[in-house]
Amino acid sequence: MVDEYLDIPYIASQPQTPFHKFDIYVPREIKTSSLCLLICFVHGGAWRSEDKSDHAVLARNLALSTGYPVAVPNYRLTPREATPDNIVRHPEHAKDILHFLEFICTAPDPRSSVESLSIHTHADDGATTGLPYQPQRLLLLGHSCAAHMLCTIFLDMPHGGRLYSSDIVLARTTTLVLSEGIYDIDTLLSSFPSYRKWFIEAVFGVHDSYADVSMTNAATKSGCGHIRWLIIHSKGDTLVDERQSQMAYDHLKSRAVEVCKSLDELIDEHNEILRGNQYIEIIRRHIQKIVATLE
């Protein structure tokens, strides 16, 4: 069984927006560990679509399979009909995820505030409350465009919009697991030129080259040397080619980052991998290895 705490705000603002809320799934038979691990799954959707609720089944299954709580945040999306008043462009999506991670690491002790959250229903919209689970270590999963967003947070991207994480977020993040990721926009467009008009220009602006937002041009960030990375890609993915993941893996290796890859275990389509058992099994095995080295 899994207890579900839904629509917890991670930014205190009025009026509350659904884009700045997250859900957390806590297994009742939680693994007892001094590490207090929390898995955070950040969804994809080309920076323009999807919602945390779309991944409720995945979150429940991850929680049950691993024995650790799973949090799924929303973030602002680039609107399909953009105007000067509503445009959301890179790195604003990643900024929201960074706000979420800062909240996760600094929220009040749940023993004093968990009563204000409702199991299987919605948290009070009026205030930012404590967590039903207090993590000491974070295991971050990013799918598709979310892989790029996490790279923006945990690497020094070459452009001027780089993000600065607090020491506590960097210290508590143990591993990054990135699946079907977008890492190098120019290379992506060479394989899928239609993506330029579909979502790239809306998200990053109109440019001849997007090298300045490429993860493969990013430097390592101070305070992240302990983080282990796993790059996952499915042989059946027709939306993002394997070259993206291989480039990401090669770049991290060249920077002496501790990274491994799984490029030949999955065979399903881009989003279908999230509905199968094999993806969860890969995550479970990776977490098992991480925990073995930390305890």
Side-chain angles (χ1 to χ4, degrees):
M1 295 290 293
V2 175
D3 290 332
E4 302 176 12
Y5 303 83
L6 307 180
D7 290 329
I8 305 171
Y10 62 84
I11 292 179
S13 61
Q14 293 295 340
Q16 286 289 330
T17 167
F19 297 115
H20 290 149
K21 294 182 178 181
F22 70 99
D23 301 335
I24 185 167
Y25 301 80
V26 183
R28 292 185 182 177
E29 294 185 11
I30 194 168
K31 283 195 175 180
T32 56
S33 170
S34 60
L35 299 176
C36 294
L37 297 171
L38 175 66
I39 302 168
C40 302
F41 176 81
V42 186
H43 70 75
W47 293 272
R48 307 186 73 177
S49 64
E50 297 191 20
D51 181 85
K52 57 186 174 60
S53 62
D54 298 333
H55 303 283
V57 173
L58 171 65
R60 292 186 198 106
N61 289 339
L62 272 171
L64 290 172
S65 175
T66 64
Y68 296 112
V70 178
V72 186
N74 270 346
Y75 53 87
R76 286 172 294 164
L77 302 173
T78 296
R80 296 185 182 278
E81 300 296 331
T83 69
D85 295 328
N86 72 359
I87 189 64
V88 177
R89 281 191 168 145
H90 173 80
E92 294 304 310
H93 323 78
K95 283 183 181 178
D96 285 353
I97 295 304
L98 181 54
H99 280 304
F100 160 72
L101 296 176
E102 299 281 359
F103 172 77
I104 284 289
C105 290
T106 59
D109 190 306
R111 288 169 294 185
S112 63
S113 56
V114 69
E115 293 83 0
S116 65
L117 298 178
S118 301
I119 299 176
H120 300 299
T121 183
H122 297 271
D124 179 7
D125 284 347
T128 301
T129 57
L131 291 174
Y133 177 82
Q134 198 75 2
Q136 294 300 313
R137 304 273 186 161
L138 303 178
L139 298 100
L140 309 184
L141 315 180
H143 184 67
S144 193
C145 69
H148 186 281
M149 291 159 56
L150 290 178
C151 288
T152 301
I153 295 172
F154 290 95
L155 294 173
D156 268 335
M157 302 294 272
H159 74 309
R162 58 172 59 107
L163 301 183
Y164 297 93
S165 307
S166 69
D167 290 343
I168 190 171
V169 168
L170 299 182
R172 290 191 179 181
T173 300
T174 300
T175 188
L176 298 177
V177 179
L178 309 180
S179 55
E180 317 307 302
I182 295 173
Y183 306 102
D184 186 282
I185 306 300
D186 289 340
T187 303
L188 182 75
L189 291 177
S190 71
S191 299
F192 305 93
S194 64
Y195 287 4
R196 179 182 291 273
K197 293 298 183 182
W198 180 22
F199 63 89
I200 292 298
E201 290 184 348
V203 172
F204 295 95
V206 180
H207 304 288
D208 293 333
S209 172
Y210 296 92
D212 62 343
V213 293
S214 171
M215 170 271 196
T216 57
N217 292 325
T220 52
K221 180 176 285 189
S222 176
C224 293
H226 64 286
I227 297 176
R228 266 84 54 94
W229 298 60
L230 171 61
I231 307 296
I232 298 174
H233 205 95
S234 172
K235 291 293 185 184
D237 190 342
T238 64
L239 298 182
V240 177
D241 52 358
E242 186 179 305
R243 182 163 54 155
Q244 289 287 310
S245 291
Q246 187 63 55
M247 290 175 67
Y249 175 80
D250 291 343
H251 178 69
L252 292 170
K253 289 287 285 187
S254 73
R255 293 286 179 170
V257 173
E258 188 171 346
V259 58
C260 52
K261 61 183 178 179
S262 171
L263 306 185
D264 55 8
E265 292 184 78
L266 298 173
I267 60 172
D268 291 327
E269 184 54 275
H270 187 81
N271 287 323
E272 286 300 315
I273 68 166
L274 304 178
R275 302 181 181 99
N277 294 327
Q278 189 60 35
Y279 174 79
I280 292 176
E281 176 59 19
I282 292 171
I283 302 301
R284 190 195 64 77
R285 291 200 315 258
H286 183 69
I287 291 175
Q288 198 172 41
K289 291 178 182 178
I290 296 296
V291 170
T293 63
L294 292 175
E295 288 187 324

